[in-house]
Amino acid sequence: MSSSAALKSPEPALEPHPVEIIEGALESGLLLLCDHASNAVPPDLGDLGLPASEFQRHIAYDIGAAAVTRSLARRLKAPAILTRFSRLIIDPNRGRDDPTLVMRLSDGAVVPGNAKVDEAEIQRRIERFYDPYDAAVSEAIHRAMAADHPPAVVTVHSYTPVWRGWPRPWHVGILWDADDRYAKPLLEGLMAEEGLVVGDNEPYDGALAGDTVDRHATIRGLANALIEIRQDLIASDEGAEEWAGRFARLLKPLAARAALRKPTIFGTRTRERLRQH
């Protein structure tokens, strides 16, 4: 396979495939991921017992994250992988044994369709939704590695402006575990911009056992960063484009530095965090 090989979308299935794959040049040095891109639920699962309004909230998907990811992929000519299912079905940014893999209660909303879900149903959802996304990410990494272009794995998320009555002051956060090769320069670049309040491992800690970055990048020693953007800033197309442009300017020179992407094991803080909890 040539170094210019690109990822291709899967063949059409009887229902929309649970994964969206955007073609991109492996030599871009990046793999963009969006774990919570969609609020879609297939017809056979219905509405999970929730009113339509709940699917417009962050409990169903990361508002604006998909638009930012697609714009970044276009600007950087990088491959990207996005989910086509709601995190209310199953959360691909959790380990398989995580108790929040299938949420029964999410930010005050009881999810009736998940309330009595048993292990057999969880396994069916893993096989139908979680595994195809996981496999697509692994395949993309394997193709890039085989072409001698180890990718930096960059995931795009968004978060609510207010959490449990507390206004979150950050416009954006960069999450990371023990490998700061991408986190540090991204933080420095963002902090250099006037008027931005930037979170370093805020509003969450980037060391999460079994999450997408942990099981795909950390374990392989791939450079990585998790981008969190406040949802009100990217809810519109204009806002999403603005933030995609900002991160494209920061990521392009980083990705061009092949030495920065050399697979290197940095370890993880996840065990320490588990002990603390």
Side-chain angles (χ1 to χ4, degrees):
M1 182 180 295
S2 70
S3 62
S4 61
L7 303 178
K8 296 187 180 298
S9 298
E11 294 296 319
L14 294 177
E15 65 177 23
H17 194 275
V19 181
E20 174 185 351
I21 299 179
I22 297 175
E23 297 182 356
L26 301 183
E27 59 266 31
S28 70
L30 291 167
L31 176 61
L32 304 172
L33 305 178
C34 191
D35 301 323
H36 303 142
S38 174
N39 60 359
V41 178
D44 62 292
L45 291 179
D47 55 13
L48 298 175
L50 292 170
S53 59
E54 295 290 7
F55 288 93
Q56 303 308 311
R57 296 178 58 211
H58 71 100
I59 64 171
Y61 73 124
D62 278 359
I63 296 166
V68 172
T69 304
R70 294 187 186 108
S71 182
L72 271 175
R74 184 181 71 251
R75 292 167 184 267
L76 298 172
K77 298 180 174 58
I81 302 175
L82 303 86
T83 55
R84 280 181 170 152
F85 57 90
S86 173
R87 66 193 301 178
L88 288 171
I89 298 173
I90 195 165
D91 193 335
N93 193 39
R94 296 291 185 269
R96 293 167 190 265
D97 58 351
D98 193 302
T100 64
L101 183 65
V102 175
M103 293 292 284
R104 293 165 173 81
L105 175 67
S106 184
D107 193 16
V110 175
V111 187
N114 293 344
K116 296 182 180 180
V117 67
D118 58 16
E119 289 302 318
E121 174 60 17
I122 291 174
Q123 186 57 41
R124 281 192 288 270
R125 294 188 190 187
I126 287 174
E127 293 173 0
R128 183 177 176 186
F129 302 100
Y130 187 107
D131 281 349
Y133 181 65
D134 217 43
V137 175
S138 289
E139 182 181 358
I141 290 172
H142 291 157
R143 288 184 181 183
M145 298 285 282
D148 200 26
H149 292 294
V153 177
V154 176
T155 64
V156 181
H157 291 253
S158 66
Y159 60 95
T160 58
V162 178
W163 179 247
R164 295 179 180 175
W166 182 65
R168 286 164 157 169
W170 314 282
H171 298 99
V172 62
I174 302 297
L175 278 53
W176 56 288
D177 185 354
D179 179 357
D180 68 352
R181 285 176 290 176
Y182 264 52
K184 184 177 180 180
L186 285 176
L187 286 165
E188 290 173 347
L190 292 166
M191 289 175 178
E193 294 197 29
E194 186 176 356
L196 283 187
V197 180
V198 182
D200 182 352
N201 268 330
E202 296 286 2
Y204 313 106
D205 192 317
L208 180 61
D211 74 348
T212 302
V213 170
D214 183 47
R215 67 181 187 266
H216 287 291
T218 302
I219 197 171
R220 293 180 172 94
L222 297 177
N224 62 84
L226 191 154
I227 295 169
E228 286 274 7
I229 308 170
R230 211 173 66 197
Q231 288 173 358
D232 57 313
L233 302 177
I234 56 174
S236 68
D237 291 341
E238 294 80 9
E241 285 296 328
E242 177 187 346
W243 279 89
R246 174 177 283 115
F247 274 105
R249 292 192 298 272
L250 294 172
L251 286 168
K252 188 171 184 179
L254 287 178
R257 296 167 59 187
L260 197 63
R261 294 184 282 105
K262 181 181 179 181
T264 306
I265 301 297
F266 282 78
T268 176
R269 295 184 290 109
T270 57
R271 288 191 179 88
E272 176 187 342
R273 288 199 67 214
L274 287 172
R275 283 196 299 269
Q276 291 174 350
H277 286 283

